[in-house]
Amino acid sequence: MFGGVPQEVLMAFYTTLAIALNAGAPLMQCLTAYQEQNDNKPFEVVLLSVIKDVGSGKPFSEALAKFPKVFPNDFQSLVAAGEISGQMDTLLVEYVEFAEGQAKLQSKFKGAMAYPAVMALVAVGVTIMLTQVIFPKFILSLNLKEENMPAITLYVSKFSNFCADNYIAIFVAFVISAVTFFYVTQRTEKGADAWDAVLFNSPVIGDLLKKYYVSRMVHTLASQLKGGVPGMQALQICKNSITNRQFNKLIVDIMESIKGGGSYTDGLRKNTHIIPPIVILMFTIGEETGSMETVLDKIGSYYDDQVAVAVDAVIGLIEPLMIVVMGGIVTTLALSMFLPMFDMGKNIG
């Protein structure tokens, strides 16, 4: 969501605008035609304001700038560059390709990040159902006393009773822990740096994070440079579009290096813990040959494929782990119920 406007609505707007302008239609006519077919109420307000401003003679980029939460900085900067160069139609076509690629990349990344959380919720849900619903009824039906229970049955029984007696305290403790964790890792600089270090140094997740943010950075930078946006402004847009602190620091290092008369590569070399050597080499080649946009596109395409591979690796690692965890839970509960039945059978025999 961008300022209450779904991403798919914005993508439809970008695509329609790019096609219409590329076909030679006037901007005002394109905006009016799209507004007439639009059925998203939050975006309707935005469109009417943009149409009013453009109709009164204001630049399209100035009309968009009123809605920074709806239109991302990279889109606004390309529109402004297109107005100056007279190539807005071409730049918008390229932006649509860029935005579609980024949407697919983000979808893969979010899917990989959400998968462990979903599996954990399933494990917790199954555990609660078995220990709080099925197991207590089973124990009650057998009329078992604690002194007659096998060790594993006694352990599960005590765990079940503890959860049932203290579920409010457990829930409150969980909420407090979650809020504290979020605050420390997202709102404090030291906590965020420590959490980033843990994530980036983890065997599989760290590899995925590095590849994902490298891909986002180079794609955004390439898109801006090809649109004629000045280098420092393009880097600032990259910084604003990437929320990760480690990569924000990387981009700041590049900007400071360029301000001091250095190069992109000088800034990258300060962050070798998150930037692979091949990326530094490719940036060096791009600077030396003057073909930075082409090199960035190639890096981005390569890392798009690498992100897909890394996502599969994350899922491939988590699936067997979850099978082991779920198998352990089910096996423990099954033994806790079957062992008393075996003991009763022996006693009857």
Side-chain angles (χ1 to χ4, degrees):
M1 297 285 282
F2 293 85
V5 180
Q7 186 177 27
E8 56 269 23
V9 172
L10 285 177
M11 284 302 304
F13 173 68
Y14 299 150
T15 304
T16 304
L17 195 61
I19 293 172
L21 289 176
N22 207 41
L27 174 61
M28 191 64 181
Q29 185 178 340
C30 297
L31 293 172
T32 304
Y34 190 85
Q35 183 268 326
E36 290 174 355
Q37 71 174 27
N38 172 64
D39 57 3
N40 182 271
K41 290 184 178 180
F43 198 44
E44 180 76 10
V45 176
V46 175
L47 285 172
L48 290 173
S49 174
V50 171
I51 290 170
K52 180 181 177 182
D53 286 347
V54 172
S56 66
K58 291 182 180 179
F60 185 33
S61 57
E62 186 178 329
L64 297 176
K66 287 185 176 181
F67 303 96
K69 292 184 178 180
V70 176
F71 300 108
N73 288 334
D74 52 4
F75 178 69
Q76 293 185 41
S77 65
L78 280 184
V79 168
E83 289 173 334
I84 295 171
S85 65
Q87 297 181 328
M88 190 187 298
D89 54 345
T90 303
L91 293 181
L92 284 179
V93 170
E94 292 180 355
Y95 181 80
V96 167
E97 294 177 358
F98 159 76
E100 287 176 345
Q102 288 299 291
K104 291 178 182 177
L105 189 68
Q106 288 184 38
S107 177
K108 289 179 182 177
F109 179 75
K110 289 178 180 178
M113 293 295 100
Y115 189 75
V118 172
M119 291 296 98
L121 286 175
V122 170
V124 170
V126 170
T127 303
I128 291 173
M129 182 187 70
L130 291 175
T131 59
Q132 301 303 308
V133 179
I134 297 176
F135 183 79
K137 290 182 178 179
F138 174 79
I139 294 298
L140 189 63
S141 67
L142 293 182
N143 195 27
L144 283 175
K145 304 296 183 183
E146 285 192 359
E147 56 269 19
N148 298 325
M149 292 182 184
I152 191 169
T153 306
L154 181 61
Y155 167 77
V156 174
S157 177
K158 287 186 175 181
F159 175 77
S160 175
N161 292 335
F162 174 81
C163 292
D165 294 340
N166 301 279
Y167 69 92
I168 295 178
I170 293 172
F171 177 76
V172 171
F174 173 78
V175 171
I176 292 174
S177 299
V179 171
T180 302
F181 176 80
F182 177 81
Y183 177 80
V184 171
T185 58
Q186 302 297 320
R187 303 297 183 186
T188 65
E189 187 172 349
K190 288 184 178 179
D193 289 342
W195 180 237
D196 278 348
V198 170
L199 290 177
F200 278 107
N201 289 318
S202 59
V204 180
I205 298 294
D207 184 55
L208 172 60
L209 285 171
K210 291 172 186 176
K211 290 173 178 177
Y212 171 71
Y213 284 116
V214 166
S215 178
R216 282 206 66 184
M217 181 183 73
V218 297
H219 273 307
T220 304
L221 189 57
S223 172
Q224 297 299 306
L225 293 177
K226 285 192 292 185
V229 177
M232 290 298 287
Q233 185 180 341
L235 285 167
Q236 184 62 48
I237 290 168
C238 278
K239 180 178 178 294
N240 293 340
S241 67
I242 295 177
T243 56
N244 182 268
R245 288 173 181 261
Q246 295 279 342
F247 272 81
N248 267 332
K249 179 183 176 299
L250 162 67
I251 296 169
V252 169
D253 286 342
I254 295 174
M255 294 171 71
E256 290 178 351
S257 173
I258 293 174
K259 285 179 183 177
S263 63
Y264 286 90
T265 309
D266 294 331
L268 291 171
R269 287 200 178 106
K270 296 178 182 178
N271 297 271
T272 53
H273 60 294
I274 57 174
I275 292 293
I278 187 64
V279 175
I280 298 175
L281 174 62
M282 294 295 284
F283 264 86
T284 303
I285 293 171
E287 288 180 309
E288 291 177 351
T289 61
S291 56
M292 182 63 80
E293 295 93 334
T294 303
V295 169
L296 290 174
D297 274 337
K298 290 181 178 179
I299 297 173
S301 297
Y302 172 75
Y303 274 96
D304 285 349
D305 294 336
Q306 290 298 302
V307 168
V309 172
V311 166
D312 291 339
V314 169
I315 294 175
L317 175 68
I318 292 171
E319 282 182 339
L321 285 176
M322 292 308 301
I323 290 172
V324 170
V325 171
M326 292 298 295
I329 293 171
V330 172
T331 301
T332 300
L333 290 168
L335 288 173
S336 70
M337 290 189 287
F338 289 143
L339 286 179
M341 295 176 65
F342 292 151
D343 289 345
M344 291 177 67
K346 288 179 181 179
N347 292 333
I348 293 173

